[in-house]
Protein backbone atom coordinates (compact mmCIF):
# COMPACT_ATOMS: atom_id res chain seq x y z
CA UNK A 1 0.00 0.00 0.00
CA UNK A 2 1.50 3.41 -1.10
CA UNK A 3 2.57 5.75 1.59
CA UNK A 4 0.95 9.15 1.38
CA UNK A 5 2.95 12.34 1.87
CA UNK A 6 1.02 14.89 3.74
CA UNK A 7 0.93 18.49 2.43
CA UNK A 8 2.74 19.69 5.53
CA UNK A 9 5.62 17.34 5.02
CA UNK A 10 5.87 18.27 1.30
CA UNK A 11 6.04 22.02 2.09
CA UNK A 12 8.84 21.49 4.58
CA UNK A 13 10.86 19.57 2.02
CA UNK A 14 10.33 22.26 -0.63
CA UNK A 15 11.34 24.96 1.81
CA UNK A 16 14.48 23.10 2.74
CA UNK A 17 15.42 22.97 -0.95
CA UNK A 18 14.40 26.61 -1.61
CA UNK A 19 16.62 28.25 1.03
CA UNK A 20 19.95 27.07 -0.39
CA UNK A 21 18.76 28.10 -3.85
CA UNK A 22 17.96 31.59 -2.66
CA UNK A 23 21.31 31.82 -0.96
CA UNK A 24 23.06 30.75 -4.14
CA UNK A 25 21.02 33.26 -6.15
CA UNK A 26 21.78 36.02 -3.66
CA UNK A 27 25.47 35.20 -3.73
CA UNK A 28 25.44 35.15 -7.51
CA UNK A 29 23.72 38.52 -7.69
CA UNK A 30 26.00 39.95 -5.02
CA UNK A 31 29.13 38.75 -6.78
CA UNK A 32 27.82 39.98 -10.14
CA UNK A 33 26.90 43.38 -8.74
CA UNK A 34 30.21 43.64 -6.87
CA UNK A 35 32.12 42.75 -9.99
CA UNK A 36 30.17 45.29 -12.05
CA UNK A 37 30.65 47.92 -9.36
CA UNK A 38 34.37 47.14 -9.33
CA UNK A 39 34.39 47.44 -13.10
CA UNK A 40 32.67 50.84 -12.96
CA UNK A 41 34.96 52.19 -10.25
CA UNK A 42 38.39 50.74 -10.95
CA UNK A 43 38.61 49.20 -14.41
CA UNK A 44 40.65 51.40 -16.79
CA UNK A 45 38.25 53.49 -18.84
CA UNK A 46 40.67 55.95 -20.42
CA UNK A 47 42.68 54.91 -23.45
CA UNK A 48 44.82 57.78 -24.75
CA UNK A 49 46.86 55.50 -26.98
CA UNK A 50 49.93 56.99 -25.29
CA UNK A 51 49.20 60.49 -26.59
CA UNK A 52 48.88 63.57 -24.41
CA UNK A 53 45.17 64.28 -24.11
CA UNK A 54 43.51 67.25 -22.42
CA UNK A 55 39.91 68.12 -21.81
CA UNK A 56 38.86 71.76 -21.61
CA UNK A 57 35.79 72.53 -19.51
CA UNK A 58 34.79 76.17 -20.06
CA UNK A 59 33.80 78.52 -17.25
CA UNK A 60 30.03 78.24 -16.73
CA UNK A 61 29.76 74.75 -18.25
CA UNK A 62 27.07 72.54 -16.68
CA UNK A 63 27.21 68.82 -15.90
CA UNK A 64 26.04 67.71 -19.34
CA UNK A 65 28.44 70.04 -21.16
CA UNK A 66 31.33 68.92 -18.97
CA UNK A 67 30.77 65.22 -19.68
CA UNK A 68 30.23 65.96 -23.36
CA UNK A 69 33.63 67.67 -23.38
CA UNK A 70 35.25 64.64 -21.75
CA UNK A 71 33.67 62.23 -24.21
CA UNK A 72 34.58 64.47 -27.16
CA UNK A 73 38.25 63.70 -26.51
CA UNK A 74 37.58 60.24 -27.94
CA UNK A 75 39.51 58.40 -25.22
CA UNK A 76 36.62 57.13 -23.06
CA UNK A 77 36.06 53.39 -23.49
CA UNK A 78 32.68 52.99 -21.71
CA UNK A 79 30.67 56.21 -21.66
CA UNK A 80 27.72 54.69 -19.79
CA UNK A 81 29.84 53.62 -16.83
CA UNK A 82 31.51 57.04 -16.76
CA UNK A 83 28.16 58.79 -16.46
CA UNK A 84 26.98 56.33 -13.83
CA UNK A 85 30.07 57.03 -11.74
CA UNK A 86 29.74 60.77 -12.27
CA UNK A 87 26.21 60.66 -10.79
CA UNK A 88 27.35 58.41 -7.97
CA UNK A 89 30.07 60.91 -7.04
CA UNK A 90 27.73 63.93 -7.25
CA UNK A 91 29.76 65.44 -10.07
CA UNK A 92 26.61 67.18 -11.30
CA UNK A 93 26.90 69.46 -8.26
CA UNK A 94 30.67 69.89 -8.37
CA UNK A 95 31.54 70.82 -11.98
CA UNK A 96 34.67 72.99 -12.10
CA UNK A 97 36.09 74.65 -15.21
CA UNK A 98 39.64 74.01 -16.29
CA UNK A 99 42.16 72.21 -18.44
CA UNK A 100 42.67 68.64 -17.31
CA UNK A 101 45.15 66.07 -18.54
CA UNK A 102 43.62 62.63 -19.03
CA UNK A 103 46.03 59.86 -18.10
CA UNK A 104 46.06 56.54 -19.89
CA UNK A 105 44.58 53.73 -17.76
CA UNK A 106 42.54 55.91 -15.43
CA UNK A 107 39.38 54.40 -14.00
CA UNK A 108 36.12 56.35 -13.72
CA UNK A 109 36.62 57.10 -10.02
CA UNK A 110 40.05 58.59 -10.60
CA UNK A 111 38.91 60.63 -13.60
CA UNK A 112 35.80 62.08 -11.93
CA UNK A 113 37.80 62.66 -8.76
CA UNK A 114 40.26 64.90 -10.61
CA UNK A 115 37.47 66.79 -12.39
CA UNK A 116 35.34 67.44 -9.32
CA UNK A 117 38.41 68.49 -7.29
CA UNK A 118 39.41 70.99 -9.99
CA UNK A 119 42.93 69.56 -10.21
CA UNK A 120 43.91 71.41 -13.36
CA UNK A 121 47.04 70.78 -15.38
CA UNK A 122 48.93 74.08 -15.71
CA UNK A 123 49.61 75.65 -19.10
CA UNK A 124 53.12 76.69 -20.12
CA UNK A 125 52.76 80.30 -21.25
CA UNK A 126 55.43 81.64 -23.60
CA UNK A 127 55.54 84.63 -25.90
CA UNK A 128 58.41 85.53 -28.20
CA UNK A 129 58.87 87.54 -31.37
CA UNK A 130 56.07 89.92 -30.45
CA UNK A 131 56.14 93.23 -32.29
CA UNK A 132 52.76 94.83 -31.64
CA UNK A 133 50.48 95.04 -28.63
CA UNK A 134 47.73 93.29 -30.59
CA UNK A 135 50.10 90.40 -31.32
CA UNK A 136 50.81 90.11 -27.61
CA UNK A 137 47.10 89.72 -26.87
CA UNK A 138 46.83 87.10 -29.59
CA UNK A 139 49.73 85.03 -28.23
CA UNK A 140 48.49 85.20 -24.66
CA UNK A 141 44.97 84.17 -25.68
CA UNK A 142 46.31 80.98 -27.27
CA UNK A 143 47.29 79.67 -23.84
CA UNK A 144 44.39 80.78 -21.64
CA UNK A 145 40.60 80.86 -21.68
CA UNK A 146 40.09 84.66 -21.96
CA UNK A 147 39.73 85.83 -25.54
CA UNK A 148 42.15 88.00 -27.46
CA UNK A 149 39.60 90.82 -27.26
CA UNK A 150 39.33 90.58 -23.47
CA UNK A 151 43.11 90.77 -23.05
CA UNK A 152 43.55 93.55 -25.60
CA UNK A 153 40.83 95.56 -23.87
CA UNK A 154 42.94 95.64 -20.70
CA UNK A 155 46.11 96.42 -22.68
CA UNK A 156 44.25 99.40 -24.09
CA UNK A 157 42.72 100.56 -20.80
CA UNK A 158 44.77 103.61 -19.85
CA UNK A 159 43.14 104.02 -16.44
CA UNK A 160 43.73 100.39 -15.49
CA UNK A 161 47.31 100.40 -16.79
CA UNK A 162 48.12 103.42 -14.62
CA UNK A 163 47.39 101.30 -11.54
CA UNK A 164 50.21 99.03 -12.71
CA UNK A 165 52.54 101.92 -13.48
CA UNK A 166 52.29 101.78 -17.29
CA UNK A 167 50.38 103.30 -20.18
CA UNK A 168 49.33 102.03 -23.60
CA UNK A 169 52.72 102.85 -25.16
CA UNK A 170 54.87 101.22 -22.47
CA UNK A 171 52.74 98.29 -21.26
CA UNK A 172 54.47 95.77 -23.55
CA UNK A 173 57.64 96.30 -21.50
CA UNK A 174 55.81 94.77 -18.52
CA UNK A 175 55.88 91.39 -20.29
CA UNK A 176 59.24 89.70 -19.82
CA UNK A 177 59.52 86.84 -22.34
CA UNK A 178 59.98 83.62 -20.43
CA UNK A 179 58.10 80.41 -19.73
CA UNK A 180 55.43 80.71 -17.07
CA UNK A 181 53.01 78.18 -15.62
CA UNK A 182 49.44 79.45 -15.39
CA UNK A 183 46.03 77.85 -15.25
CA UNK A 184 43.92 77.90 -18.39
CA UNK A 185 41.04 79.48 -16.46
CA UNK A 186 43.18 82.45 -15.36
CA UNK A 187 41.16 85.62 -16.00
CA UNK A 188 42.51 88.43 -18.17
CA UNK A 189 42.99 90.66 -15.12
CA UNK A 190 44.67 87.92 -13.10
CA UNK A 191 47.00 87.31 -16.04
CA UNK A 192 47.95 90.99 -16.09
CA UNK A 193 48.58 90.93 -12.35
CA UNK A 194 50.75 87.82 -12.73
CA UNK A 195 52.85 89.46 -15.44
CA UNK A 196 53.21 92.55 -13.28
CA UNK A 197 54.48 90.36 -10.44
CA UNK A 198 56.96 88.63 -12.76
CA UNK A 199 58.11 92.03 -14.03
CA UNK A 200 58.87 93.16 -10.48
CA UNK A 201 60.74 89.91 -9.81
CA UNK A 202 62.82 90.39 -12.95
CA UNK A 203 63.85 93.92 -12.01
CA UNK A 204 66.16 92.99 -9.18
CA UNK A 205 68.05 95.57 -7.13
CA UNK A 206 71.11 94.86 -9.28
CA UNK A 207 69.31 95.53 -12.56
CA UNK A 208 67.71 98.68 -11.15
CA UNK A 209 71.14 99.95 -10.04
CA UNK A 210 72.60 99.37 -13.51
CA UNK A 211 69.71 101.24 -15.13
CA UNK A 212 70.24 104.14 -12.75
CA UNK A 213 73.95 104.25 -13.62
CA UNK A 214 72.98 104.58 -17.28
CA UNK A 215 70.55 107.37 -16.43
CA UNK A 216 67.63 105.38 -17.76
CA UNK A 217 64.34 104.30 -16.22
CA UNK A 218 63.28 100.65 -16.41
CA UNK A 219 60.84 101.47 -19.20
CA UNK A 220 63.55 103.35 -21.13
CA UNK A 221 65.86 100.36 -20.81
CA UNK A 222 63.14 98.18 -22.32
CA UNK A 223 62.55 100.68 -25.11
CA UNK A 224 66.25 100.77 -26.01
CA UNK A 225 66.40 96.97 -25.68
CA UNK A 226 63.58 96.67 -28.21
CA UNK A 227 65.64 98.69 -30.71
CA UNK A 228 68.73 96.56 -30.06
CA UNK A 229 66.64 93.41 -30.55
CA UNK A 230 65.27 94.71 -33.84
CA UNK A 231 68.78 95.57 -35.04
CA UNK A 232 70.49 92.23 -34.46
CA UNK A 233 69.57 88.61 -33.95
CA UNK A 234 73.07 87.85 -32.70
CA UNK A 235 73.08 87.72 -28.91
CA UNK A 236 76.86 88.15 -28.74
CA UNK A 237 76.57 91.39 -30.71
CA UNK A 238 73.76 92.97 -28.69
CA UNK A 239 76.00 94.60 -26.02
CA UNK A 240 78.04 96.29 -28.79
CA UNK A 241 74.92 97.61 -30.55
CA UNK A 242 73.58 98.81 -27.20
CA UNK A 243 76.87 100.63 -26.65
CA UNK A 244 76.46 102.48 -29.95
CA UNK A 245 73.03 103.83 -29.02
CA UNK A 246 74.12 104.75 -25.52
CA UNK A 247 77.04 106.67 -27.04
CA UNK A 248 74.63 108.54 -29.31
CA UNK A 249 72.32 109.37 -26.42
CA UNK A 250 75.26 110.67 -24.40
CA UNK A 251 76.36 112.90 -27.28
CA UNK A 252 72.83 114.18 -27.83
CA UNK A 253 72.71 112.73 -31.34
CA UNK A 254 69.69 111.40 -33.17
CA UNK A 255 69.47 107.64 -32.68
CA UNK A 256 68.67 107.15 -36.38
CA UNK A 257 67.54 103.57 -35.81
CA UNK A 258 66.02 102.08 -38.94
CA UNK A 259 63.71 99.68 -37.00
CA UNK A 260 61.96 102.65 -35.38
CA UNK A 261 61.23 104.04 -38.84
CA UNK A 262 59.78 100.72 -39.97
CA UNK A 263 57.66 100.62 -36.81
CA UNK A 264 56.41 104.16 -37.38
CA UNK A 265 55.48 103.42 -41.00
CA UNK A 266 53.80 100.17 -39.96
CA UNK A 267 55.05 98.19 -42.97
CA UNK A 268 57.14 95.36 -41.55
CA UNK A 269 57.87 93.94 -44.98
CA UNK A 270 60.36 96.79 -45.58
CA UNK A 271 63.85 95.37 -46.00
CA UNK A 272 65.54 98.55 -47.14
CA UNK A 273 64.72 101.89 -45.49
CA UNK A 274 64.50 104.63 -48.13
CA UNK A 275 64.34 108.43 -47.93
CA UNK A 276 60.57 108.36 -48.33
CA UNK A 277 60.34 106.30 -45.15
CA UNK A 278 62.67 108.64 -43.27
CA UNK A 279 60.27 111.52 -43.91
CA UNK A 280 57.38 109.80 -42.13
CA UNK A 281 56.29 112.01 -39.25
CA UNK A 282 55.98 110.01 -36.05
CA UNK A 283 57.43 110.26 -32.53
CA UNK A 284 58.83 106.79 -33.22
CA UNK A 285 60.90 108.07 -36.16
CA UNK A 286 64.31 108.51 -34.53
CA UNK A 287 65.63 110.17 -37.70
CA UNK A 288 63.31 113.09 -36.94
CA UNK A 289 63.09 113.18 -33.16
CA UNK A 290 65.90 113.05 -30.60
CA UNK A 291 66.04 110.61 -27.75
CA UNK A 292 64.19 107.39 -27.28
CA UNK A 293 60.76 106.79 -28.83
CA UNK A 294 57.68 106.86 -26.54
CA UNK A 295 57.78 103.12 -25.92
CA UNK A 296 59.18 99.77 -27.07
CA UNK A 297 58.84 98.80 -30.73
CA UNK A 298 58.57 95.14 -29.76
CA UNK A 299 58.60 92.99 -26.64
CA UNK A 300 62.33 92.75 -25.87
CA UNK A 301 63.66 89.48 -24.51
CA UNK A 302 65.91 89.10 -21.49
CA UNK A 303 69.15 88.97 -23.49
CA UNK A 304 68.29 92.30 -25.13
CA UNK A 305 67.45 93.97 -21.82
CA UNK A 306 70.61 92.66 -20.19
CA UNK A 307 72.65 93.81 -23.19
CA UNK A 308 71.52 97.38 -22.52
CA UNK A 309 72.25 97.02 -18.81
CA UNK A 310 75.67 95.56 -19.57
CA UNK A 311 76.77 97.41 -22.75
CA UNK A 312 80.13 97.02 -24.38
CA UNK A 313 82.34 100.00 -23.64
CA UNK A 314 83.67 101.43 -26.93
CA UNK A 315 83.78 104.57 -29.05
CA UNK A 316 81.63 103.36 -31.93
CA UNK A 317 78.96 105.77 -33.13
CA UNK A 318 77.90 104.07 -36.36
CA UNK A 319 77.14 100.60 -37.61
CA UNK A 320 75.51 98.95 -40.59
CA UNK A 321 74.91 95.41 -41.75
CA UNK A 322 77.91 93.54 -43.12
CA UNK A 323 77.93 92.97 -46.84
CA UNK A 324 78.34 89.21 -46.34
CA UNK A 325 74.74 88.99 -45.02
CA UNK A 326 76.00 87.03 -42.02
CA UNK A 327 73.63 88.89 -39.71
CA UNK A 328 76.51 90.71 -38.05
CA UNK A 329 77.36 94.40 -38.39
CA UNK A 330 80.34 96.55 -39.30
CA UNK A 331 81.02 99.22 -36.66
CA UNK A 332 82.72 102.58 -37.12
CA UNK A 333 83.94 105.52 -35.07
CA UNK A 334 83.95 108.11 -37.86
CA UNK A 335 81.34 108.99 -40.42
CA UNK A 336 83.84 108.36 -43.22
CA UNK A 337 84.37 104.77 -42.04
CA UNK A 338 80.63 104.31 -41.76
CA UNK A 339 80.00 105.61 -45.26
CA UNK A 340 82.51 103.14 -46.65
CA UNK A 341 80.84 100.27 -44.78
CA UNK A 342 77.40 101.42 -45.89
CA UNK A 343 78.52 101.71 -49.51
CA UNK A 344 79.72 98.11 -49.51
CA UNK A 345 76.43 96.94 -48.00
CA UNK A 346 74.29 98.88 -50.50
CA UNK A 347 76.32 97.45 -53.36
CA UNK A 348 75.59 93.99 -51.99
CA UNK A 349 71.88 94.84 -51.78
CA UNK A 350 71.87 96.05 -55.36
CA UNK A 351 73.70 92.93 -56.50
CA UNK A 352 70.89 90.87 -55.00
CA UNK A 353 68.25 93.24 -56.40
CA UNK A 354 66.88 94.02 -52.93
CA UNK A 355 65.11 97.35 -53.39
CA UNK A 356 62.90 97.42 -50.32
Amino acid sequence: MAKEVTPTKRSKKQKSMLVPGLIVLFLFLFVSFSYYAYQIVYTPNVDTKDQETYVYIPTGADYQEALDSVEATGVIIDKLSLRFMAKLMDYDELVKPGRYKLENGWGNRQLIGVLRAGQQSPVKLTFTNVRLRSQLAEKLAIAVEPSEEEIDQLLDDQEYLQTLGFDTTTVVSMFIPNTYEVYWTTTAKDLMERMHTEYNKFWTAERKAKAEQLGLSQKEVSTLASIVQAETIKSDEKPRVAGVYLNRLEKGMLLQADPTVVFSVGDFSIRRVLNVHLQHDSPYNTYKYKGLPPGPINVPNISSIDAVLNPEQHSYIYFCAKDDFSGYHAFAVTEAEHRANARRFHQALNARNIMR
Side-chain angles (χ1 to χ4, degrees):
M1 191 176 193
K3 187 178 180 180
E4 291 186 8
V5 179
T6 63
T8 302
K9 289 182 179 179
R10 188 181 297 119
S11 297
K12 287 181 178 179
K13 184 176 181 179
Q14 287 175 338
K15 286 179 181 178
S16 65
M17 295 177 61
L18 182 61
V19 171
L22 289 173
I23 293 174
V24 170
L25 178 61
F26 173 78
L27 288 175
F28 174 77
L29 292 173
F30 177 78
V31 170
S32 298
F33 178 79
S34 297
Y35 177 72
Y36 182 64
Y38 179 87
Q39 292 280 94
I40 292 174
V41 176
Y42 297 108
T43 297
N45 198 29
V46 176
D47 183 8
T48 65
K49 296 179 175 57
D50 296 323
Q51 295 192 8
E52 282 199 354
T53 303
Y54 295 89
V55 58
Y56 294 82
I57 299 177
T59 298
D62 60 21
Y63 171 74
Q64 185 64 48
E65 291 167 332
L67 288 182
D68 286 346
S69 296
V70 174
E71 293 174 359
T73 61
V75 301
I76 302 302
I77 301 169
D78 184 352
K79 297 177 182 178
L80 184 61
S81 69
L82 173 69
R83 289 179 177 266
F84 182 83
M85 193 67 200
K87 276 288 187 183
L88 200 63
M89 294 179 68
D90 297 324
Y91 180 54
D92 53 334
E93 299 176 4
L94 296 165
V95 174
K96 293 181 176 67
R99 170 185 182 265
Y100 302 93
K101 185 177 182 181
L102 304 184
E103 297 288 355
N104 192 54
W106 269 0
N108 290 323
R109 183 174 182 274
Q110 194 169 10
L111 170 56
I112 299 300
V114 166
L115 296 179
R116 59 175 263 165
Q119 295 175 2
Q120 293 192 57
S121 301
V123 178
K124 290 193 181 300
L125 174 65
T126 60
F127 44 91
T128 56
N129 302 320
V130 176
R131 183 181 284 122
L132 301 173
R133 195 181 65 200
S134 59
Q135 291 176 325
L136 178 60
E138 180 183 358
K139 292 213 171 189
L140 294 174
I142 291 173
V144 293
E145 184 180 21
S147 67
E148 179 182 340
E149 290 73 24
E150 288 178 89
I151 297 171
D152 195 52
Q153 188 174 19
L154 286 180
L155 292 173
D156 195 39
D157 187 337
Q158 191 84 308
E159 186 176 343
Y160 170 69
L161 295 179
Q162 284 176 356
T163 67
L164 302 176
F166 295 88
D167 57 36
T168 54
T169 60
T170 61
V171 66
V172 295
S173 64
M174 187 181 80
F175 294 80
I176 307 297
N178 213 329
T179 299
Y180 305 98
E181 282 197 348
V182 299
Y183 288 120
W184 179 69
T185 49
T186 299
T187 65
K189 187 162 284 190
D190 284 344
L191 183 61
M192 292 287 286
E193 299 290 342
R194 170 67 184 280
M195 292 298 99
H196 185 246
T197 298
E198 296 296 340
Y199 173 83
N200 288 331
K201 286 181 184 177
F202 172 80
W203 279 100
T204 60
E206 182 183 1
R207 284 192 171 104
K208 288 178 181 178
K210 288 181 177 180
E212 189 174 352
Q213 287 174 358
L214 294 172
L216 300 175
S217 67
Q218 294 168 207
K219 297 183 187 69
E220 288 173 331
V221 169
S222 293
T223 297
L224 182 52
S226 72
I227 296 173
V228 171
Q229 181 164 296
E231 288 283 17
T232 180
I233 60 172
K234 305 294 185 181
S235 293
D236 58 338
E237 192 182 52
K238 287 180 179 181
R240 180 170 292 187
V241 173
V244 169
Y245 285 121
L246 287 168
N247 287 344
R248 290 183 183 178
L249 285 173
E250 187 177 357
K251 291 178 180 294
M253 298 173 59
L254 288 167
L255 290 185
Q256 294 187 331
D258 286 0
T260 66
V261 176
V262 173
F263 182 85
S264 70
V265 173
D267 181 0
F268 299 104
S269 67
I270 295 173
R271 299 180 62 188
R272 187 172 182 175
V273 175
L274 305 174
N275 285 330
V276 65
H277 303 132
L278 299 180
Q279 300 309 311
H280 184 74
D281 190 22
S282 165
Y284 285 90
N285 185 346
T286 56
Y287 276 81
K288 278 183 156 303
Y289 296 94
K290 277 188 178 182
L292 292 164
I297 59 173
N298 55 53
V299 178
N301 57 37
I302 292 175
S303 68
S304 299
I305 295 172
D306 282 342
V308 173
L309 294 174
N310 302 279
E312 184 178 307
Q313 301 298 317
H314 55 63
S315 300
Y316 295 130
I317 299 295
Y318 308 98
F319 70 98
C320 72
K322 282 189 172 181
D323 58 350
D324 61 0
F325 295 96
S326 62
Y328 283 96
H329 294 78
F331 294 81
V333 175
T334 68
E335 188 173 356
E337 291 173 331
H338 175 61
R339 287 185 181 278
N341 291 334
R343 186 163 51 252
R344 283 191 290 270
F345 177 63
H346 288 143
Q347 288 171 348
L349 286 176
N350 292 333
R352 294 195 179 196
N353 198 30
I354 299 175
M355 301 305 296
R356 65 186 302 274

